[in-house]
Short mmCIF file of all heavy atoms in Angstrom, two decimals:
data_model
loop_
_atom_site.label_atom_id
_atom_site.label_comp_id
_atom_site.label_asym_id
_atom_site.label_seq_id
_atom_site.Cartn_x
_atom_site.Cartn_y
_atom_site.Cartn_z
N LYS A 403 -45.35 -48.35 -39.94
CA LYS A 403 -44.20 -48.42 -39.04
C LYS A 403 -44.17 -47.21 -38.12
O LYS A 403 -44.23 -46.08 -38.60
CB LYS A 403 -42.91 -48.46 -39.86
CG LYS A 403 -42.83 -49.61 -40.85
CD LYS A 403 -41.59 -49.49 -41.73
CE LYS A 403 -41.56 -50.58 -42.80
NZ LYS A 403 -40.40 -50.42 -43.70
N PRO A 404 -44.08 -47.43 -36.83
CA PRO A 404 -43.96 -46.29 -35.92
C PRO A 404 -42.55 -45.71 -35.95
O PRO A 404 -41.59 -46.40 -36.32
CB PRO A 404 -44.28 -46.91 -34.55
CG PRO A 404 -43.86 -48.34 -34.69
CD PRO A 404 -44.14 -48.72 -36.12
N GLY A 405 -42.44 -44.45 -35.52
CA GLY A 405 -41.14 -43.81 -35.40
C GLY A 405 -40.78 -42.95 -36.60
O GLY A 405 -41.49 -42.88 -37.59
N GLY A 406 -39.67 -42.25 -36.46
CA GLY A 406 -39.15 -41.45 -37.56
C GLY A 406 -39.59 -39.99 -37.50
O GLY A 406 -40.45 -39.60 -36.72
N THR A 407 -38.96 -39.20 -38.35
CA THR A 407 -39.23 -37.77 -38.45
C THR A 407 -39.69 -37.43 -39.85
O THR A 407 -39.07 -37.86 -40.84
CB THR A 407 -37.97 -36.95 -38.13
OG1 THR A 407 -37.57 -37.19 -36.79
CG2 THR A 407 -38.21 -35.45 -38.33
N LEU A 408 -40.79 -36.71 -39.96
CA LEU A 408 -41.24 -36.20 -41.25
C LEU A 408 -40.86 -34.73 -41.34
O LEU A 408 -41.22 -33.93 -40.47
CB LEU A 408 -42.75 -36.37 -41.40
CG LEU A 408 -43.32 -35.98 -42.78
CD1 LEU A 408 -44.46 -36.91 -43.18
CD2 LEU A 408 -43.81 -34.53 -42.80
N THR A 409 -40.12 -34.38 -42.39
CA THR A 409 -39.70 -33.00 -42.61
C THR A 409 -40.50 -32.42 -43.76
O THR A 409 -40.53 -32.97 -44.86
CB THR A 409 -38.20 -32.93 -42.93
OG1 THR A 409 -37.46 -33.55 -41.87
CG2 THR A 409 -37.75 -31.48 -43.07
N PHE A 410 -41.16 -31.31 -43.49
CA PHE A 410 -42.12 -30.70 -44.41
C PHE A 410 -41.66 -29.27 -44.69
O PHE A 410 -41.51 -28.47 -43.76
CB PHE A 410 -43.50 -30.69 -43.73
CG PHE A 410 -44.68 -30.51 -44.63
CD1 PHE A 410 -45.71 -31.44 -44.64
CD2 PHE A 410 -44.80 -29.39 -45.45
CE1 PHE A 410 -46.83 -31.28 -45.46
CE2 PHE A 410 -45.90 -29.22 -46.27
CZ PHE A 410 -46.92 -30.15 -46.27
N PHE A 569 -49.56 -34.10 -31.19
CA PHE A 569 -48.19 -33.61 -31.18
C PHE A 569 -48.09 -32.39 -30.27
O PHE A 569 -49.08 -31.70 -30.01
CB PHE A 569 -47.72 -33.25 -32.60
CG PHE A 569 -47.55 -34.46 -33.48
CD1 PHE A 569 -48.61 -34.92 -34.25
CD2 PHE A 569 -46.34 -35.14 -33.54
CE1 PHE A 569 -48.47 -36.04 -35.07
CE2 PHE A 569 -46.19 -36.25 -34.35
CZ PHE A 569 -47.25 -36.71 -35.12
N ILE A 580 -40.68 -24.83 -37.38
CA ILE A 580 -41.53 -25.23 -36.25
C ILE A 580 -41.30 -26.73 -36.06
O ILE A 580 -41.40 -27.51 -37.02
CB ILE A 580 -43.01 -24.95 -36.53
CG1 ILE A 580 -43.27 -23.44 -36.60
CG2 ILE A 580 -43.90 -25.59 -35.47
CD1 ILE A 580 -44.70 -23.07 -36.96
N THR A 581 -40.99 -27.14 -34.83
CA THR A 581 -40.70 -28.54 -34.54
C THR A 581 -41.72 -29.08 -33.54
O THR A 581 -41.99 -28.44 -32.50
CB THR A 581 -39.28 -28.70 -33.95
OG1 THR A 581 -38.32 -28.19 -34.89
CG2 THR A 581 -38.98 -30.17 -33.67
N LEU A 582 -42.29 -30.24 -33.85
CA LEU A 582 -43.27 -30.89 -32.99
C LEU A 582 -42.78 -32.28 -32.60
O LEU A 582 -42.06 -32.93 -33.36
CB LEU A 582 -44.62 -31.02 -33.70
CG LEU A 582 -45.22 -29.78 -34.37
CD1 LEU A 582 -46.53 -30.15 -35.06
CD2 LEU A 582 -45.44 -28.67 -33.37
N ALA A 583 -43.19 -32.74 -31.42
CA ALA A 583 -42.87 -34.10 -30.96
C ALA A 583 -44.15 -34.84 -30.65
O ALA A 583 -45.16 -34.25 -30.24
CB ALA A 583 -41.99 -34.05 -29.72
N LYS A 584 -44.13 -36.15 -30.84
CA LYS A 584 -45.30 -36.99 -30.57
C LYS A 584 -45.71 -36.90 -29.11
O LYS A 584 -44.88 -36.91 -28.20
CB LYS A 584 -45.00 -38.45 -30.93
CG LYS A 584 -46.16 -39.39 -30.64
CD LYS A 584 -45.95 -40.76 -31.27
CE LYS A 584 -44.83 -41.54 -30.63
NZ LYS A 584 -44.76 -42.91 -31.19
N TYR A 602 -48.04 -42.25 -35.37
CA TYR A 602 -46.90 -43.10 -35.75
C TYR A 602 -45.58 -42.34 -35.63
O TYR A 602 -44.60 -42.85 -35.09
CB TYR A 602 -47.05 -43.57 -37.20
CG TYR A 602 -48.12 -44.61 -37.43
CD1 TYR A 602 -49.24 -44.31 -38.19
CD2 TYR A 602 -48.00 -45.90 -36.91
CE1 TYR A 602 -50.22 -45.26 -38.43
CE2 TYR A 602 -48.97 -46.86 -37.13
CZ TYR A 602 -50.09 -46.54 -37.90
OH TYR A 602 -51.06 -47.48 -38.13
N LEU A 603 -45.54 -41.13 -36.15
CA LEU A 603 -44.28 -40.39 -36.26
C LEU A 603 -43.83 -39.86 -34.90
O LEU A 603 -44.64 -39.45 -34.08
CB LEU A 603 -44.44 -39.23 -37.23
CG LEU A 603 -44.68 -39.62 -38.69
CD1 LEU A 603 -45.21 -38.44 -39.48
CD2 LEU A 603 -43.38 -40.14 -39.31
N ASP A 604 -42.49 -39.85 -34.69
CA ASP A 604 -41.93 -39.30 -33.46
C ASP A 604 -41.83 -37.79 -33.50
O ASP A 604 -42.04 -37.11 -32.50
CB ASP A 604 -40.53 -39.88 -33.20
CG ASP A 604 -40.56 -41.34 -32.79
OD1 ASP A 604 -41.59 -41.78 -32.23
OD2 ASP A 604 -39.56 -42.04 -33.03
N ARG A 605 -41.48 -37.26 -34.69
CA ARG A 605 -41.26 -35.82 -34.80
C ARG A 605 -41.77 -35.29 -36.14
O ARG A 605 -41.78 -36.02 -37.15
CB ARG A 605 -39.76 -35.48 -34.69
CG ARG A 605 -39.17 -35.68 -33.30
CD ARG A 605 -37.65 -35.55 -33.30
NE ARG A 605 -37.22 -34.19 -33.54
CZ ARG A 605 -37.13 -33.24 -32.60
NH1 ARG A 605 -37.50 -33.52 -31.36
NH2 ARG A 605 -36.69 -32.04 -32.88
N LEU A 606 -42.15 -34.03 -36.12
CA LEU A 606 -42.50 -33.29 -37.33
C LEU A 606 -41.67 -32.02 -37.34
O LEU A 606 -41.62 -31.29 -36.35
CB LEU A 606 -43.98 -32.92 -37.34
CG LEU A 606 -45.01 -34.05 -37.20
CD1 LEU A 606 -46.41 -33.45 -37.04
CD2 LEU A 606 -44.97 -34.96 -38.43
N VAL A 607 -41.01 -31.77 -38.46
CA VAL A 607 -40.22 -30.54 -38.61
C VAL A 607 -40.73 -29.79 -39.84
O VAL A 607 -40.71 -30.33 -40.95
CB VAL A 607 -38.72 -30.84 -38.75
CG1 VAL A 607 -37.94 -29.53 -38.94
CG2 VAL A 607 -38.20 -31.60 -37.54
N PHE A 608 -41.20 -28.58 -39.63
CA PHE A 608 -41.69 -27.73 -40.72
C PHE A 608 -40.65 -26.64 -40.96
O PHE A 608 -40.46 -25.75 -40.12
CB PHE A 608 -43.05 -27.12 -40.36
CG PHE A 608 -44.16 -28.14 -40.29
CD1 PHE A 608 -44.32 -28.92 -39.16
CD2 PHE A 608 -45.01 -28.33 -41.37
CE1 PHE A 608 -45.33 -29.87 -39.10
CE2 PHE A 608 -46.02 -29.28 -41.31
CZ PHE A 608 -46.18 -30.06 -40.17
N LYS A 609 -39.98 -26.73 -42.11
CA LYS A 609 -38.95 -25.76 -42.45
C LYS A 609 -39.52 -24.70 -43.39
O LYS A 609 -40.26 -25.02 -44.32
CB LYS A 609 -37.77 -26.46 -43.14
CG LYS A 609 -36.99 -27.40 -42.24
CD LYS A 609 -35.78 -27.96 -42.97
CE LYS A 609 -34.92 -28.82 -42.05
NZ LYS A 609 -33.73 -29.36 -42.78
N GLY A 624 -34.30 -35.73 -51.41
CA GLY A 624 -34.55 -36.45 -50.17
C GLY A 624 -34.23 -35.66 -48.91
O GLY A 624 -34.29 -36.21 -47.81
N GLN A 625 -33.92 -34.37 -49.03
CA GLN A 625 -33.65 -33.56 -47.84
C GLN A 625 -34.91 -33.29 -47.04
O GLN A 625 -34.84 -33.07 -45.83
CB GLN A 625 -33.00 -32.24 -48.26
CG GLN A 625 -31.64 -32.38 -48.91
CD GLN A 625 -31.10 -31.03 -49.35
OE1 GLN A 625 -30.84 -30.16 -48.52
NE2 GLN A 625 -30.94 -30.84 -50.64
N VAL A 626 -36.05 -33.27 -47.74
CA VAL A 626 -37.34 -33.14 -47.05
C VAL A 626 -38.26 -34.22 -47.58
O VAL A 626 -38.02 -34.81 -48.65
CB VAL A 626 -37.97 -31.74 -47.25
CG1 VAL A 626 -37.04 -30.65 -46.73
CG2 VAL A 626 -38.33 -31.49 -48.70
N ASP A 627 -39.34 -34.48 -46.85
CA ASP A 627 -40.26 -35.58 -47.19
C ASP A 627 -41.54 -35.09 -47.85
O ASP A 627 -42.25 -35.87 -48.49
CB ASP A 627 -40.62 -36.36 -45.93
CG ASP A 627 -39.39 -36.85 -45.19
OD1 ASP A 627 -38.58 -37.56 -45.82
OD2 ASP A 627 -39.24 -36.50 -44.00
N ALA A 628 -41.86 -33.81 -47.68
CA ALA A 628 -43.07 -33.25 -48.29
C ALA A 628 -42.88 -31.75 -48.42
O ALA A 628 -42.12 -31.13 -47.65
CB ALA A 628 -44.30 -33.55 -47.43
N ALA A 877 -43.16 -37.39 -50.84
CA ALA A 877 -42.31 -38.53 -51.18
C ALA A 877 -43.12 -39.82 -51.09
O ALA A 877 -43.96 -39.98 -50.20
CB ALA A 877 -41.11 -38.58 -50.24
N LYS A 879 -42.36 -42.57 -50.03
CA LYS A 879 -42.14 -43.33 -48.78
C LYS A 879 -43.06 -42.85 -47.66
O LYS A 879 -43.14 -43.48 -46.60
CB LYS A 879 -40.69 -43.21 -48.34
CG LYS A 879 -40.27 -41.81 -47.92
CD LYS A 879 -38.82 -41.79 -47.45
CE LYS A 879 -38.41 -40.38 -46.99
NZ LYS A 879 -37.01 -40.36 -46.50
N VAL A 880 -43.76 -41.73 -47.88
CA VAL A 880 -44.68 -41.19 -46.88
C VAL A 880 -46.08 -41.75 -47.13
O VAL A 880 -46.59 -41.69 -48.25
CB VAL A 880 -44.72 -39.65 -46.91
CG1 VAL A 880 -45.75 -39.12 -45.91
CG2 VAL A 880 -43.34 -39.07 -46.62
N HIS A 881 -46.70 -42.29 -46.11
CA HIS A 881 -48.02 -42.90 -46.23
C HIS A 881 -48.98 -42.28 -45.20
O HIS A 881 -48.55 -41.86 -44.13
CB HIS A 881 -47.93 -44.41 -45.98
CG HIS A 881 -46.84 -45.07 -46.76
ND1 HIS A 881 -47.00 -45.52 -48.05
CD2 HIS A 881 -45.54 -45.32 -46.44
CE1 HIS A 881 -45.87 -46.03 -48.49
NE2 HIS A 881 -44.97 -45.93 -47.53
N LEU A 893 -51.85 -35.33 -39.83
CA LEU A 893 -50.63 -36.13 -39.80
C LEU A 893 -50.61 -37.19 -38.71
O LEU A 893 -49.61 -37.87 -38.53
CB LEU A 893 -49.40 -35.21 -39.65
CG LEU A 893 -49.18 -34.26 -40.84
CD1 LEU A 893 -48.08 -33.26 -40.52
CD2 LEU A 893 -48.81 -35.07 -42.09
N ALA A 896 -50.06 -40.46 -40.44
CA ALA A 896 -48.93 -40.52 -41.38
C ALA A 896 -47.79 -41.36 -40.82
O ALA A 896 -47.53 -41.36 -39.61
CB ALA A 896 -48.45 -39.11 -41.70
N TRP A 897 -47.11 -42.06 -41.72
CA TRP A 897 -45.94 -42.83 -41.32
C TRP A 897 -44.97 -42.92 -42.50
O TRP A 897 -45.34 -42.64 -43.65
CB TRP A 897 -46.32 -44.23 -40.83
CG TRP A 897 -47.10 -45.08 -41.80
CD1 TRP A 897 -48.43 -45.00 -42.07
CD2 TRP A 897 -46.59 -46.13 -42.63
NE1 TRP A 897 -48.80 -45.93 -43.01
CE2 TRP A 897 -47.69 -46.65 -43.37
CE3 TRP A 897 -45.33 -46.69 -42.82
CZ2 TRP A 897 -47.55 -47.70 -44.28
CZ3 TRP A 897 -45.20 -47.74 -43.72
CH2 TRP A 897 -46.29 -48.24 -44.44
N ILE A 898 -43.73 -43.26 -42.20
CA ILE A 898 -42.69 -43.33 -43.22
C ILE A 898 -42.19 -44.77 -43.31
O ILE A 898 -41.88 -45.40 -42.30
CB ILE A 898 -41.52 -42.39 -42.88
CG1 ILE A 898 -42.00 -40.93 -42.92
CG2 ILE A 898 -40.37 -42.58 -43.86
CD1 ILE A 898 -40.94 -39.93 -42.50
N GLY A 899 -42.14 -45.29 -44.53
CA GLY A 899 -41.67 -46.66 -44.70
C GLY A 899 -41.11 -46.92 -46.08
O GLY A 899 -41.16 -46.06 -46.94
#
Side-chain angles (χ1 to χ4, degrees):
K403 303 174 184 177
T407 297
L408 185 144
T409 304
F410 198 124
F569 291 90
I580 293 176
T581 301
L582 309 178
K584 179 168 68 174
Y602 288 114
L603 294 164
D604 288 334
R605 290 171 70 83
L606 304 172
V607 179
F608 292 81
K609 293 184 176 180
Q625 296 177 64
V626 301
D627 306 303
K879 67 178 181 178
V880 177
H881 311 274
L893 295 172
W897 57 281
I898 295 176

